[in-house]
Amino acid sequence: MAVRRFDKLLIANRGEIACRIMRTAKRMGLSSVAVFSDADRDAMHAVLADEAIRIGPPPPKESYLNIEAVLDAAGKSGAGAIHPGYGFLSENADFAQACADAGLLFVGPSADTIRLMGSKSAAKALMQAAGIPIVPGYHERAQDLATLREAAERIGYPVLIKASAGGGGRGMRLVNNGGEFTEALASARREAMAAFDDDQVLIEKYLARPRHIVVQVFGDNHGNMVSLFERECSLQRRHQKVVEEALSVAVTPARRAEMSATARAAAQAVNYLGAGTVEFIADASGFYFIEMNTRLQVEHPVTEMITGLDLVEWQLRVASGEALPLKQQEARANGHAIEARIYAEDADKGFLPSTGVIRHWREPAGEGIRVDTGFRCGDAVTPYYDALLAKLIVWAPDRPQAIERMVHALHGFKIAGVTTNLRFLQVLLDHPQVARGDIDVGFIEREISALTAQAAPMRAIDMAAACAAVILHEQEEQGAQRDDSPWNRTDGWTLAGRRSRRLSFREDTHRYDAILWYGRDGLSMEFEEITAPLRWSEREPQSFDVILGDASERATATWSGRDLDLVTPHGRFALAWLDPFAADMQEAAAGSRIVAPMPGTVTRILAQPGTDLPRGAPLLVLEAMKMEHTLRAPADGRLTALKCAVGDFVQEGAELAEFEPADTSP
Ligand code: ADP
């Protein structure tokens, strides 16, 4: 095939992956075109590109998933090729076809291959025919309840129901016994329909404690197929990868050779072109094909770190018709790489996605450290898209050193303004079982309480930091000069003769109270049993050192109204400052209002007004950041009114329903 050159590449994506693709494009002398939605007008990917074109409003359906708008942008810019990244349109066969029809190079396999591999059922049938080992299961067309139930019984419980069109763990349900089958099937179908517009399912034997191991493959137009080792992807939560490694400690050289050859055979069976990933689940008994991803994977950097290759460059070269630059026997793996996915989410609150403006951002740097991100300080994390803030990738000569480097780098990563899973990742990478490599896909779920232990109570030094944060905040609001000493201040409260002041905070159900004393020797703080001199000095906006007696620490404080997001070496505290001077200090009467915990779309209403409900009964489902959140009755009582409808996009704090707790007084 003739080589087809292009000099302008449109990237139909956003965030870290768009930025990462642009880096390679730039190095190869290509000019890059970004597309952006209204929510991403100032986003990093739009700014980094040589050209940026608006493609629509924030909801993905109207922008990043809008094929016409993306092709329009390509036409306007004169781009010769489109890289879809991952997610969005990357595995959309219609899009690949539309690109081809418009005379554009699609950086990925053909529409036919995408369509074929997009159906887990069809892919399994094909792989089975090609002699690739697959998990025992049912992947035929017939979808009636009796057939599916019979198949589950034949396979033997426990089984997994999977959406055939699935991805990201959606539409997947574990069924332990026949009694659970009907309901699990209905809910898997519902989720699959909502997510993929297709409710076909397959059924698989559920393996106990398997590992998830994937092999990177590459095919070109010249008949070459190369595999680039495996990635260990067993550290998952809700079937979504959290930490990935290359290579896997569980794979012996003999098994590596076998898995790699199987992956190449699987890719060859579909004449695969470009970058792909053959995914296996594996246990002591063997390894089994589960699916093939026809795109660049989120975790591709770990493969890049151990091979020294640039997979995006390979993609672009193969797409333009060049042969793969390496022969199979020339591929080498060196050292060990780990990737951790940093999300805007609150691990201690059920991994609730967090939105907001990033007020502070500091990345770790140094030998063997790579950060892939699309965010910087001042950017907003919106509810429209995936909450992945950054990928932190480390390399070291061996696994123990890589883990050590990762833990260190995670500690050096500072993000304020939105809640992140950084602390969760630190604890995870510090876990002795992770150090031993003794992991499987259920590990995180089983260890969740050890990994997310409720935030530790504030220590005196943390309370001191909270007090310092209040005073710095007041000074800033009043435009006063920053100064350590309250005696230099000219604002109201010391002049008014007050010699002490109570500062109170609430975190969930805890309340913390401290008293600040102003004496001749300066300021001191009384908290629980301790009274000690208190001082601080500001380092940079929002970041300061606080000194209480002999103790000191560095803290970061971010305000939003009277909510203080305080990060200290002991943890992160989401505090509400109970300001006695604020008019609306009264805490809202609990119970009667059901409010949106985050911005999102109401996708289902599960209870009707006028119904009596037990505590915990589902009321409605809110979809935010690609996840479903069920809001439940806060107590036994009655739903008195609904204030939203299916399809409504609601803001955080919006009232969705009224609920009247049952009268429990005697
Ligand atoms: P998706 O495409 O939705 O991500 P996959 O088929 O790739 O779904 O599976 C995702 C995860 O689900 C796997 O990484 C593994 O944790 C779990 N899983 C999948 N199949 C099985 C199985 N047969 N037995 C046990 N766990 C499985």
Side-chain angles (χ1 to χ4, degrees), residues 75-336:
K76 258 188 237 155
S77 65
I82 297 192
H83 195 308
Y86 56 72
F88 293 128
L89 294 169
S90 62
E91 291 180 293
N92 184 313
D94 295 339
F95 180 61
Q97 190 57 53
C99 289
D101 293 345
L104 291 159
L105 273 177
F106 173 77
V107 181
S110 71
D112 288 344
T113 308
I114 296 177
R115 197 165 284 126
L116 196 58
M117 294 296 112
S119 159
K120 289 186 207 270
S121 309
K124 283 209 166 120
L126 191 141
M127 292 304 164
Q128 193 168 29
I132 308 294
I134 65 169
V135 189
Y138 171 88
H139 41 77
E140 310 290 320
R141 268 183 193 285
Q143 296 283 303
D144 57 286
L145 178 62
T147 305
L148 292 174
R149 180 192 278 283
E150 213 178 279
E153 256 139 47
R154 195 163 7 92
I155 296 161
Y157 291 102
V159 300
L160 261 187
I161 300 177
K162 287 187 186 179
S164 182
R170 304 187 83 184
M172 186 149 45
R173 293 289 181 282
L174 171 61
V175 193
N176 289 301
N177 54 60
E180 296 173 7
F181 190 82
T182 311
E183 204 189 317
L185 177 64
S187 98
R189 276 188 170 149
R190 208 164 42 230
E191 196 169 301
M193 197 65 199
F196 314 111
D197 212 18
D198 176 352
D199 66 356
Q200 195 190 344
V201 299
L202 61 93
I203 301 176
E204 249 175 42
K205 177 83 193 151
Y206 180 73
L207 302 189
R209 306 199 172 190
R211 286 174 181 260
H212 186 133
I213 293 172
V214 310
V215 177
Q216 178 72 55
V217 294
F218 251 100
D220 66 15
N221 256 322
H222 303 255
N224 302 307
M225 184 66 66
V226 168
S227 61
L228 295 173
F229 311 98
E230 80 278 2
R231 297 189 283 261
E232 165 71 72
C233 304
S234 298
L235 288 173
Q236 308 181 340
R237 201 184 68 80
R238 291 205 187 166
H239 306 305
Q240 301 224 51
K241 299 166 188 171
V242 178
V243 169
E244 303 95 343
E245 303 177 53
L247 301 168
S248 166
V249 277
V251 175
T252 60
R255 185 170 274 192
R256 176 163 305 124
E258 208 187 329
M259 284 184 110
S260 298
T262 305
R264 290 195 300 272
Q268 234 133 19
V270 289
N271 275 325
Y272 197 79
L273 180 72
T277 308
V278 181
E279 307 222 339
F280 297 103
I281 51 174
D283 63 11
S285 70
F287 58 90
Y288 311 93
F289 171 88
I290 49 173
E291 67 168 341
M292 176 159 190
N293 286 316
T294 55
R295 54 170 160 86
L296 191 68
Q297 296 273 87
V298 178
E299 74 276 8
H300 75 277
V302 290
T303 300
E304 296 185 322
M305 299 289 264
I306 58 158
T307 58
L309 301 169
D310 180 334
L311 299 193
V312 173
E313 178 179 346
W314 275 37
Q315 285 190 296
L316 297 175
R317 293 199 182 284
V318 166
S320 68
E322 289 183 33
L324 286 171
L326 273 190
K327 299 261 170 292
Q328 186 63 54
Q329 60 275 17
E330 294 168 332
R332 295 265 178 285
N334 174 31
H336 194 87

Side-chain angles (χ1 to χ4, degrees), residues 62-80:
E62 297 168 46
S63 48
Y64 297 104
L65 287 172
N66 183 340
I67 294 180
E68 213 173 301
V70 172
L71 289 181
D72 235 37
K76 258 188 237 155
S77 65

